[in-house]
Amino acid sequence: MENPRIEILKTEVLSDNWYTLRKVTYNYQKKDGSWENQSREAYDRGNGATILLYNKNLKTVILTQQFRLPTYVNGNKTGMMIEACAGLLDKDNPEECIRRETEEETGYKVSSVQKLFEVYMSPGSVTEIVYFFAAEYSKEMKITEGGGIAEEQENIEVLEYDFDQAYNMIASGEIKDAKTIMLLQYAKINGLLA
């Protein structure tokens, strides 16, 4: 559905290296009916999916830890981030993507996943939609060590936390990743581990 209050005038590619950064110039019709010219940059890194793996019986969750350069250059002294498993869709649908990423990153082959919601994570500058999932896991589902794909240089550490400990790591600042915080809060609010 097109927005009649927006007229795209020009789109320029500023960078097409790892992902694509575009500058879009457009006219925007204000509430009073007048038009104004605006220009914004939009970073397109594709869409993604994330998942909270949880075990109701043990009251535990599986998270990952890896180095994230953008956080390192913005004040994270180690650059290490504790996160829920996630990945880019590439050409997969969100459910296929998150099943693949779960196996690659954590080593767990989950039997079923539940879609929770989808979110624009940073709508002021990034085009990405992230699809949020949850799935129960058990020790029997662990088929590899996980850690990510070597050629993607992910170097992922798989972590298992007591749910309450993980949840409290939000307040302590040990978990600062938005998607992980949203998934842990969803689990708490909806009693996923109850």
Side-chain angles (χ1 to χ4, degrees):
M1 180 169 138
E2 301 271 334
N3 185 340
R5 296 175 58 199
I6 303 292
E7 283 181 352
I8 302 290
L9 302 175
K10 180 169 67 170
T11 301
E12 303 167 75
V13 175
L14 301 180
S15 174
D16 195 13
N17 187 12
W18 191 257
Y19 302 113
T20 306
L21 177 63
R22 292 180 179 90
K23 179 179 179 183
V24 180
T25 304
Y26 59 97
N27 286 330
Y28 177 84
Q29 188 178 32
K30 300 189 301 185
K31 286 184 180 181
D32 67 6
S34 66
W35 290 83
E36 80 181 357
N37 188 265
Q38 295 185 1
S39 180
R40 300 287 186 272
E41 292 178 6
Y43 189 57
D44 185 351
R45 61 181 307 272
N47 294 326
T50 186
I51 191 166
L52 181 67
L53 298 177
Y54 66 96
N55 183 303
K56 267 188 180 179
N57 297 328
L58 300 175
K59 306 278 191 257
T60 55
V61 293
I62 297 291
L63 298 175
T64 63
Q65 180 172 260
Q66 64 183 306
F67 178 75
R68 296 297 200 184
L69 177 69
T71 75
Y72 185 69
V73 298
N74 194 25
N76 179 358
K77 288 184 177 20
T78 65
M80 301 303 286
M81 292 289 289
I82 296 172
E83 306 175 38
C85 169
L88 292 177
L89 299 188
D90 298 324
K91 302 230 184 280
D92 292 337
N93 71 44
E95 186 174 324
E96 288 170 352
C97 167
I98 205 55
R99 285 176 179 279
R100 180 191 71 242
E101 291 293 335
T102 299
E103 195 172 321
E104 289 174 4
E105 291 189 7
T106 71
Y108 285 89
K109 187 176 181 82
V110 290
S111 52
S112 64
V113 298
Q114 173 192 1
K115 182 180 175 193
L116 306 176
F117 48 85
E118 54 192 72
V119 175
Y120 285 100
M121 292 297 287
S122 188
S125 59
V126 182
T127 61
E128 178 186 40
I129 296 173
V130 176
Y131 299 86
F132 285 70
F133 293 90
E136 288 194 62
Y137 77 93
S138 66
K139 298 294 182 195
E140 297 75 37
M141 294 177 182
K142 183 88 168 162
I143 59 169
T144 70
E145 288 305 306
I149 298 175
E151 56 266 18
E152 292 181 8
Q153 301 175 316
E154 293 175 307
N155 302 306
I156 295 168
E157 182 183 354
V158 181
L159 309 170
E160 185 172 40
Y161 287 109
D162 172 81
F163 175 74
D164 289 332
Q165 179 188 3
Y167 190 78
N168 290 332
M169 289 168 75
I170 299 169
S172 72
E174 294 168 88
I175 293 178
K176 292 185 177 181
D177 175 64
K179 67 185 177 301
T180 306
I181 292 169
M182 293 165 73
L183 283 167
L184 290 170
Q185 289 179 337
Y186 180 94
K188 182 82 162 177
I189 291 166
N190 292 282
L192 281 189
L193 286 93

